[in-house]
């Protein structure tokens, strides 16, 4: 999401080097969106290695011209087609492997949006469909129109709202959960500098304790916790840690090898630790 051309002078933050380091490490999914405003960069970066990449992009968020950070949602069928064709041009690819609706619409029935997305599959412009920022009911209604391969939502040891309704719905439908912000937008990497109101003291202590036992960092433990959720919920889970540094990328990849014990997982769950 934050990869930009203007950091290329720093070898550790060169966006091309970051993506290539991921591919070299065996990471296969590269996730972007038209709203990230870097599809051209991603397209150039993966050129020559397209066969190694499961390329995901998103549509539906249109930035407002006035207030910084404001956006509107466009999910009408005509815009679906328009947005996809624009992304294909920017990415300079013939097909997008996984295409998401970036945010639910309050005005366009999700059946209409997914119906138009399904047309993209028929046209050969998209291989699979995904949803992001939706409800469990949205997911079920969408899946009735066309199989939803992936659900992308925020999921971390700090943010678990998804487990109440969305994860059970995804598990029931056979939808993979892509967990964005698995390190709490970087909070887990900054445990020692994080104020109590941002990260509960018991969770902070647990992250540090488990990290110490493994010779890892709290951020790596938090990422490993997300990897382990697929065992808890019986649903495939793909953590999606965004990074702009090669060094952080390598640390994130290493977290996949952390095997947390049942006791450690309970230690990271305040509700179970207190019981």
């Amino acid at each position: 999401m934050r990869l930009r051309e203007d950091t290329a002078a720093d070898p550790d933050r060169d966006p091309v080097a970051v993506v290539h380091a991921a591919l070299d490490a065996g990471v296969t999914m590269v996730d972007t969106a038209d709203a990230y405003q870097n599809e051209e960069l991603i397209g150039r970066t993966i050129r020559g290695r397209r066969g190694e990449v499961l390329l995901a992009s998103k549509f539906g968020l249109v930035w407002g011209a006035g207030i910084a950070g404001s956006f509107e949602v466009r999910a009408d069928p005509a815009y679906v087609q328009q947005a996809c064709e624009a992304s294909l041009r920017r990415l300079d690819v013939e097909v997008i492997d996984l295409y998401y609706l970036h945010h639910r619409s309050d005005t366009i029935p999700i059946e209409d949006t997914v119906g138009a997305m399904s047309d993209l599959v028929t046209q050969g412009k998209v291989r699979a469909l995904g949803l992001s920022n939706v409800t469990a009911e949205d997911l079920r209604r969408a899946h009735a129109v066309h199989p939803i391969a992936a659900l992308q939502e925020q999921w971390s040891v700090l943010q678990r709202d998804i487990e109440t309704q969305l994860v059970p719905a995804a598990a029931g439908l056979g939808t993979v959960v892509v967990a964005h912000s698995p390190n709490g937008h970087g909070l887990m990497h900054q445990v020692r500098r994080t104020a109590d109101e941002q990260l509960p003291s018991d969770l902070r202590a647990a992250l540090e304790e488990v990290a110490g036992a493994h010779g890892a960092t709290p951020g790596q433990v938090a990422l490993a916790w997300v990897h382990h959720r697929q065992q808890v919920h019986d649903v495939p889970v793909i953590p999606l840690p965004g990074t702009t540094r090669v060094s952080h990328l390598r640390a994130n990849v290493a977290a996949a090898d952390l095997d947390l014990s049942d006791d450690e997982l309970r230690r990271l769950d305040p509700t179970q630790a207190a019981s």
Side-chain angles (χ1 to χ4, degrees), residues 115-199:
M117 294 171 71
S118 178
D119 290 341
L120 298 174
V121 177
T122 302
Q123 295 164 16
K125 297 176 179 178
V126 167
R127 290 197 171 100
L129 306 186
L131 299 177
S132 183
N133 298 302
V134 296
T135 67
E137 181 62 19
D138 290 332
L139 176 59
R140 294 188 186 96
R141 288 168 52 193
H143 196 83
V145 175
H146 188 279
I148 302 300
L151 170 72
Q152 185 174 145
E153 299 287 339
Q154 184 173 353
W155 198 1
S156 72
V157 68
L158 183 63
Q159 175 55 263
R160 309 184 190 189
D161 292 349
I162 184 177
E163 298 183 10
T164 304
Q165 296 183 7
L166 272 169
V167 169
L173 296 171
T175 298
V176 174
V177 178
V178 178
H180 79 73
S181 309
N183 275 306
H185 300 287
L187 277 179
M188 311 305 171
H189 288 303
Q190 306 172 42
V191 168
R192 294 188 180 277
R193 301 195 301 273
T194 300
D196 287 342
E197 60 268 19
Q198 293 177 291
L199 193 64

Side-chain angles (χ1 to χ4, degrees), residues 81-137:
Q81 187 79 29
Q82 173 188 334
C84 180
E85 291 175 356
S87 284
L88 287 168
R89 287 193 299 272
R90 287 189 292 264
L91 292 163
D92 192 25
V93 296
E94 295 182 356
V95 59
I96 296 170
D97 298 309
L98 175 60
Y99 198 47
Y100 291 94
L101 170 64
H102 206 153
H103 199 290
R104 72 184 309 274
S105 170
D106 290 329
T107 58
I108 305 296
I110 200 159
E111 291 88 349
D112 293 354
T113 305
V114 174
M117 294 171 71
S118 178
D119 290 341
L120 298 174
V121 177
T122 302
Q123 295 164 16
K125 297 176 179 178
V126 167
R127 290 197 171 100
L129 306 186
L131 299 177
S132 183
N133 298 302
V134 296
T135 67
E137 181 62 19

